[in-house]
């Protein structure tokens, strides 16, 4: 007769994993690159102490913003808002068409939609400030350059996000539309567009938020709006005016973000 032995009350203690030499090598490489980067640009914290007196003078001016200046440049604020609205409208409209052409669901020709996807990748690779400099050189200083720059910037974002939503649509309505004899445009209009519309509207509001911020940045490149005013005040060292503009910009962007998020929640 065999008896079952009771399980041992003692268990083997886990062995401590050995430190891999690869970890040490990675640490050495990271430290080496950090030292190289700092030495290459002459990194030093000395200006924090040597220029502290001059910095306090500027900080004192920044802490006393000229609130009246915000209202003196009201036309520039309206121009910034107009640039953001028009660029969002044009960029999202063209982006929707580009998204349809960049998806294999709505454009079965693999070669064509790959070419369009590569083109959109190139468009996204150029930052908004790059487009601003380009269009300022082409059409001159002003709001038109800003609208064109942000339209190109929005096109890349909206087309990318919307094409991914198109790739994930339910294929049932597409098959039903094809069985009824619908052509490619009709299938995209009645079977794809209703499914991606909520996401598309959400992306459109998202790029509008981006445009409010970006229009201020590209304005510094001569593309009009409050950014141009900010650049002029910076050149004049009018820190009280710069502080007021910065605070007003924060309030405007925050208000638009909150409103946009509330609308997106209702849409989706």
């Amino acid at each position: 007769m065999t008896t079952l032995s009771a399980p041992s009350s003692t268990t083997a203690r886990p062995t401590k994993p050995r430190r891999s030499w690869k970890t040490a090598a990675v640490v050495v490489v990271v430290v080496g690159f950090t030292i190289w980067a700092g030495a290459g640009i002459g990194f030093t914290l000395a200006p924090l102490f040597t220029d502290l007196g001059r910095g306090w003078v500027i900080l004192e001016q920044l802490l006393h913003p000229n609130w009246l200046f915000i209202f003196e440049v009201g036309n520039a604020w309206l121009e910034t808002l107009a640039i953001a609205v028009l660029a969002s409208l044009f960029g999202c409209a063209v982006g929707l068409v580009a998204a349809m052409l960049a998806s294999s669901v709505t454009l079965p020709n693999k070669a064509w939609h790959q070419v369009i996807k590569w083109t959109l990748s190139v468009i996204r690779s150029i930052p908004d400030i790059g487009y601003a400099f380009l269009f300022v050189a082409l059409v001159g200083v002003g709001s038109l350059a800003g609208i064109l720059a942000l339209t190109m910037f929005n096109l890349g974002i909206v087309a990318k996000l919307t094409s991914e939503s198109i790739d994930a649509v339910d294929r049932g309505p597409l098959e039903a539309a094809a069985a009824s004899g619908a052509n490619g445009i009709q299938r995209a209009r009645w079977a794809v567009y209703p499914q991606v519309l909520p996401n598309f509207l959400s992306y459109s509001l998202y790029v509008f938020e981006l445009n409010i911020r970006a229009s201020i940045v590209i304005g510094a490149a001569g593309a009009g709006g409050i950014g141009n005013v900010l650049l002029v005040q910076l050149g004049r060292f009018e820190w009280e005016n710069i502080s007021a503009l910065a605070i007003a910009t924060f309030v405007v962007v925050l208000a638009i973000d909150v409103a946009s998020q509330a609308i997106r929640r209702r849409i989706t």
Side-chain angles (χ1 to χ4, degrees):
M1 182 176 180
T2 60
T3 58
L4 298 175
S5 59
S8 175
S9 60
T10 60
T11 57
R13 301 179 66 180
T15 58
K16 188 176 181 180
R18 298 178 182 177
R19 288 187 176 181
S20 172
W21 63 269
K22 295 181 180 179
T23 303
V26 169
V27 172
V28 171
V29 170
V30 170
V31 172
F33 270 110
T34 303
I35 295 174
W36 169 81
I41 62 174
F43 176 75
T44 176
L45 295 176
L48 287 176
F49 306 98
T50 59
D51 297 337
L52 193 60
R54 182 174 62 88
W56 276 113
V57 173
I58 297 175
L59 183 61
E60 184 180 2
Q61 297 179 34
L62 290 173
L63 293 176
H64 295 84
N66 180 13
W67 300 112
L68 293 178
F69 185 74
I70 297 175
F71 305 98
E72 294 175 5
V73 293
N75 290 335
W77 286 110
L78 294 177
E79 185 179 6
T80 295
L81 182 61
I83 290 172
V85 170
L86 293 176
S88 300
L89 177 63
F90 298 149
C92 292
V94 179
L96 178 60
V97 176
M100 293 288 184
L101 299 176
S103 174
S104 58
V105 174
T106 49
L107 184 63
N109 190 314
K110 185 176 181 180
W112 271 108
H113 84 73
Q114 283 296 336
V115 169
I116 294 171
K117 288 179 71 172
W118 293 336
T119 303
L120 292 174
S121 296
V122 173
I123 292 175
R124 287 194 305 273
S125 66
I126 302 176
D128 50 2
I129 192 68
Y131 283 119
F133 284 122
L134 173 63
F135 286 111
V136 165
L138 291 177
V139 302
V141 175
S143 57
L144 177 59
I147 293 171
L148 294 175
L150 290 182
T151 297
M152 295 297 295
F153 179 64
N154 295 342
L155 166 61
I157 296 176
V158 172
K160 168 69 174 177
L161 297 176
T162 307
S163 64
E164 292 177 351
S165 297
I166 294 173
D167 290 337
V169 298
D170 182 10
R171 304 299 177 92
L174 276 168
E175 295 172 357
S180 64
N183 57 33
I185 297 178
Q186 291 172 334
R187 289 196 300 270
R189 169 63 183 86
W190 301 108
V192 175
Y193 177 73
Q195 296 189 63
V196 301
L197 180 60
N199 286 338
F200 171 71
L201 294 177
S202 178
Y203 302 149
S204 300
L205 289 170
Y206 172 66
V207 298
F208 177 66
E209 296 174 24
L210 294 180
N211 284 347
I212 294 295
R213 304 181 184 94
S215 60
I216 298 173
V217 175
I218 66 173
I226 201 67
N228 193 23
V229 176
L230 188 61
L231 183 63
V232 171
Q233 297 305 309
L234 185 61
R236 296 176 177 174
F237 303 105
E238 298 286 351
W239 302 109
E240 298 92 343
N241 296 342
I242 293 173
S243 176
L245 289 178
I247 295 172
T249 300
F250 171 77
V251 173
V252 170
V253 171
L254 180 62
I256 291 176
D257 282 351
V258 171
S260 179
Q261 289 175 12
I263 295 173
R264 286 207 304 270
R265 283 195 296 267
R266 290 180 177 272
I267 292 174
T268 56

